[in-house]
Amino acid sequence: MMNKEIIDKNKTILEKEREVIENMLSDFADENKDGSGDWDTRYPDFRAKGNLEEEADEVEEYTSLLPVEKALEEKLANIKEALKKIESGSYGKCESCEKEIEARRLKLIPETRVCNRCK
Ligand SMILES: [Zn+2]
């Protein structure tokens, strides 16, 4: 059985991280309403502008945000999955080999899905 102390601690960490990441994402993206956990970076709204240079800058910013959105979205999905596993009592089990994930690894990466051997 996974150490309860680690689980309790990681639950607190994961809940905080979930909030931080949702806040970061909502600064520049909108969550899909379909419940899939996907986020979409908001495309710049040009209707009121007409300044080409400014528009180019905004498109550049949009493009640069896409990989950030993807990375945050992935981390958020892993965090939500880990929290679900804590609820169901299956937290700390490697998704690949089904053995227990090393405590050290869980402390470093609370949302990890696999152990050190399978990473
Ligand atoms: Zn494994």
Side-chain angles (χ1 to χ4, degrees):
M1 257 313 273
M2 188 48 51
N3 186 325
K4 191 174 181 304
E5 200 183 316
I6 297 175
I7 295 178
D8 286 346
K9 215 171 168 187
N10 279 3
K11 190 177 179 213
T12 312
I13 292 169
L14 287 162
E15 280 170 345
K16 240 179 245 163
E17 272 194 297
R18 179 177 61 188
E19 208 184 308
V20 169
I21 292 176
E22 278 177 346
N23 277 336
M24 282 168 81
L25 273 167
S26 57
D27 269 353
F28 63 88
D30 294 309
E31 188 172 8
N32 272 359
K33 303 247 183 300
D34 60 6
S36 61
D38 277 339
W39 289 70
D40 295 313
T41 299
R42 281 189 283 275
Y43 198 74
D45 179 8
F46 296 133
R47 276 169 300 181
K49 298 213 177 81
N51 178 335
L52 281 179
E53 208 173 304
E54 208 174 294
E55 287 180 12
D57 282 351
E58 285 187 27
V59 170
E60 201 182 303
E61 194 194 328
Y62 170 81
T63 310
S64 72
L65 282 171
L66 292 178
V68 179
E69 179 217 302
K70 194 168 180 285
L72 287 174
E73 194 183 281
E74 267 175 32
K75 195 170 158 83
L76 185 61
N78 287 339
I79 288 171
K80 285 181 170 173
E81 185 62 31
L83 283 166
K84 243 190 248 170
K85 286 181 184 172
I86 289 176
E87 291 306 317
S88 68
S90 60
Y91 180 71
K93 207 167 94 175
C94 173
E95 285 184 9
S96 177
C97 69
E98 304 207 326
K99 289 189 182 127
E100 257 184 34
I101 298 172
E102 300 82 357
R104 242 170 71 113
R105 182 169 169 80
L106 281 177
K107 280 180 193 165
L108 283 171
I109 319 166
E111 75 277 17
T112 189
R113 291 164 173 253
V114 291
C115 72
N116 266 329
R117 292 172 301 269
C118 303
K119 71 177 178 203

